Amino acid sequence: MVKSLCSLMFAALLSQAGHAMAAHAFSLYDTPKYPAGFSHFDYVNPDAPKGGDLFLANPDRRTSFDKFNPFSLKGVAAAGVSDLMFESLATSSADETATMYGLLADDMEVAPDRMSMTFRLNPKARFNNGDPVLAADVKYSFDTLMSKGAPQFKSIFADIKRAVVVSERVVRFEFANNNRSLPLLVGSIPVFSPKWAKGTDFDKIQLTPPIVSGPYLIDRYDTGRTISYRLNPDYWGKDLPVRKGMFNFNRINYRFYKDDVARLEAFKAGEFDVSVEYSAKNWVRGYTGRKFENGDIIKAELKHSNSDGMQGFIMNLRRDQFKDPRVRQALGLALDYEWMNRQLFFNSYTRIYSFFNNSPMAATGMPSEGELKLLEPMRDKLSPAVFGPAPIPPTTEPPHSLRSNLLKAVELFREAGWTYRDGALRNEKGVPFAFEIMDDQSSMSRIISVYVRNLQKLGIRVTQRSTDYALQQQRMDDFDFDMMSLRFPDASTPGNELFDIFGSKAADQKGSSNFWGLKDPAVDRLVAELVKAETRAQLDAAARALDRVLLNSYIVVPHWYSSIHRIAYRNRFGIPQTPPLYYQANPYVLSTWWQVEPR
């Protein structure tokens, strides 16, 4: 589950001479790929025809919805509402990192001292009720998210002092700290009208259609079952370079299915058009039959260059049984990834080894000079292991084995005060080691059961609980779980969202992304060093140092990742010839594909 804002991070261009400059684009470390006056992004078809219907299934584990407000804490937002309706001051390019281009804003300027960022709004920008988008609306959106949005916004926006209306179409964000990542952050703030459900508290807005500036309008819906969006014929931004060739379908329709089995059968029956598959077993065994053989349905494995964020079984450190890092390390030794990859995944995956997996930010080998510069001042507060080789996930490849790993786990448990007696692993008071693994994905059930079997060999009592999306989301927001499977978002240039994921303050804020309850002053300090990095080399060094500390904390049992998107689709769509480098599958389909043949 991914928090909505954490996936919307952009970066700002700071001139090499260090002077303020106004521009159509900003890049944190490099010159923007697209110059002023560019016509369109390379990964779109600028001549793509508009029209047609696209039918999709719920793109994630949301099996229903009860609201159109994606920024409040309670409830489940409708699929598509964020991607299709809300816009920000700037938008990212999918074929470069740490770069943003004006969307609602047509000009951006960072102050010489880097303590503020000013945006000039495009005079053509309009909400879907016809009102112009003004500086006061931007300020209202920011203030509302800070005061009435989900708790995560207070963590993410903590270093933004205030938004100031300079003039009708000019807004300035002032910063509390010289945090280099803040210009990118303010560029990504979603903007909405104060007239949206006026008279209703923001956190109580449910099924009132948003008054926003994006390309689509809510057409019709059946709460929890279906929702349709139609292209706004008066969409203000259709000719912008950052929108040319994008959002080509006249109507986008979502149908909600209760589980993966029902969804796959519905796809093969023709109920929707595109299926993004995350299960290797389903991809190999389920996507077969006459329609695949005769070309009615295309199976495609699309490569990407995304850095892969952490995914794994995360532990709630607020629970007593998980407080000792030796216990957490021992629990990781019980996962036999190699067996799973052979027997369950058709050798389709690679083991995750870092919180910044598959990127230059991942810690490997011994600490570099840049990492040591950050770690040495905290040596007395860190485990000595942080200064050694970066931990790698345990393996069962010969000469290693599950048995040898479990024996190591037994020793770690013994050191932490847990020994096997009277049929269970117990502490000195005789309390058995027990916990619950919660998950809302039916496809994870068989994986969890294999892991549970190995944990039981250690004398651990594990309860496997399946929930629906809404209940799991509620329990996550309340930190009411022992262990669960979770994926954190990819980030080629991480920033302030790390305070929400790892920061000590966020650990006590219900609804934050610090699900594990991590409170570590060294982590807080390294996150602060990362977000204020002035060069890419400094950011990479800070990320690797942070990675070392997190890996040696053993707060997660890492899972696996793939460098491809598995997409099956009906053979009636046009797809751009040049794919982007950094993208997620569902937004890619929504924003760049087009209809070739009618449904």
Side-chain angles (χ1 to χ4, degrees), residues 50-52 54 80-81 83-87 128 210 212-219 228-233 235 246-253 589-591 593:
K50 304 289 184 182
L54 173 67
V81 69
D83 293 326
L84 300 176
M85 298 193 71
F86 287 84
E87 292 185 322
N128 53 28
V212 285
S213 62
Y216 284 86
L217 305 167
I218 293 174
D219 188 37
S228 295
Y229 302 88
R230 62 181 175 86
L231 189 63
N232 184 355
Y235 174 50
M246 301 179 72
F247 300 109
N248 302 311
F249 296 101
N250 184 58
R251 195 182 305 274
I252 295 176
N253 312 275
V589 173
L590 290 176
S591 62
W593 290 23

Side-chain angles (χ1 to χ4, degrees), residues 465-481:
R465 180 181 296 275
S466 297
T467 68
D468 61 25
Y469 178 95
L471 177 58
Q472 175 142 328
Q473 184 66 60
Q474 179 182 338
R475 290 186 62 177
M476 287 168 60
D477 289 337
D478 293 337
F479 306 135
D480 182 20
F481 69 93

Side-chain angles (χ1 to χ4, degrees), residues 150-162:
Q152 67 179 111
F153 293 106
K154 290 185 179 180
S155 296
I156 295 172
F157 296 157
D159 285 340
I160 304 173
K161 184 187 298 184
R162 60 177 179 168

Side-chain angles (χ1 to χ4, degrees), residues 44-50 244-245 248 594:
V44 305
N45 174 8
D47 300 317
K50 304 289 184 182
K244 194 71 173 175
N248 302 311
W594 65 92

Side-chain angles (χ1 to χ4, degrees), residues 125-145:
R126 291 288 186 277
F127 290 120
N128 53 28
N129 67 348
D131 290 346
V133 181
L134 303 176
D137 301 317
V138 178
K139 174 177 169 57
Y140 167 80
S141 301
F142 170 73
D143 291 345
T144 300
L145 291 172

Side-chain angles (χ1 to χ4, degrees), residues 199-364:
T200 303
D201 287 344
F202 182 76
D203 57 354
K204 300 294 194 300
I205 296 175
Q206 294 292 317
L207 295 172
T208 303
I211 300 177
V212 285
S213 62
Y216 284 86
L217 305 167
I218 293 174
D219 188 37
R220 57 181 180 268
Y221 64 93
D222 181 356
T223 305
R225 299 181 64 185
T226 64
I227 184 168
S228 295
Y229 302 88
R230 62 181 175 86
L231 189 63
N232 184 355
D234 300 318
Y235 174 50
W236 75 275
K238 58 186 175 182
D239 295 322
L240 292 176
V242 296
R243 288 294 190 241
K244 194 71 173 175
M246 301 179 72
F247 300 109
N248 302 311
F249 296 101
N250 184 58
R251 195 182 305 274
I252 295 176
N253 312 275
Y254 286 95
R255 292 169 173 167
F256 288 75
Y257 299 91
K258 293 298 183 182
D259 57 55
D260 293 339
V261 174
R263 180 161 38 199
L264 177 55
E265 292 307 312
F267 172 67
K268 291 193 287 187
E271 292 186 14
F272 61 95
D273 298 317
V274 182
S275 178
V276 179
E277 183 55 64
Y278 298 99
S279 167
K281 177 184 176 182
N282 284 350
W283 187 246
V284 173
R285 294 183 175 177
Y287 289 76
T288 59
R290 181 179 55 82
K291 292 180 180 179
F292 295 90
E293 294 167 0
N294 65 19
D296 287 346
I297 300 179
I298 305 297
K299 286 178 67 172
E301 296 185 350
L302 306 182
K303 291 187 177 182
H304 61 77
S305 300
N306 302 344
S307 60
D308 284 271
M310 175 57 72
Q311 174 181 307
F313 293 121
I314 74 167
M315 290 163 264
N316 188 348
L317 274 59
R318 302 171 186 86
R319 302 291 202 243
D320 287 340
Q321 63 265 46
F322 298 129
K323 291 188 181 298
D324 194 310
R326 292 168 295 188
V327 165
R328 303 195 295 267
Q329 183 181 0
L331 293 172
L333 286 162
L335 184 75
D336 189 347
Y337 161 74
E338 284 75 20
W339 186 92
M340 290 181 176
N341 200 31
R342 288 193 307 270
Q343 302 297 325
L344 303 180
F345 305 151
F346 300 87
N347 289 313
S348 297
Y349 294 112
T350 303
R351 188 76 188 270
I352 287 175
Y353 59 93
S354 166
F355 285 82
F356 304 101
N357 202 63
N358 198 36
S359 82
M361 298 178 288
T364 57

Side-chain angles (χ1 to χ4, degrees), residues 529-597:
E529 291 288 342
L530 185 151
V531 298
K532 73 178 184 181
E534 295 190 0
T535 66
R536 185 75 213 194
Q538 290 177 353
L539 183 141
D540 288 348
R544 289 194 294 267
L546 173 63
D547 199 26
R548 288 181 188 279
V549 174
L550 294 172
L551 291 172
N552 280 286
S553 297
Y554 298 99
I555 56 178
V556 60
V557 180
H559 281 181
W560 36 86
Y561 74 98
S562 172
S563 59
I564 59 170
H565 294 307
R566 305 184 192 97
I567 302 180
Y569 59 93
R570 307 205 174 277
N571 192 9
R572 65 180 195 89
F573 297 106
I575 303 174
Q577 290 185 348
T578 303
L581 293 175
Y582 313 101
Y583 67 102
Q584 298 303 319
N586 282 295
Y588 174 55
V589 173
L590 290 176
S591 62
T592 68
W593 290 23
W594 65 92
Q595 178 175 281
V596 174
E597 297 180 4

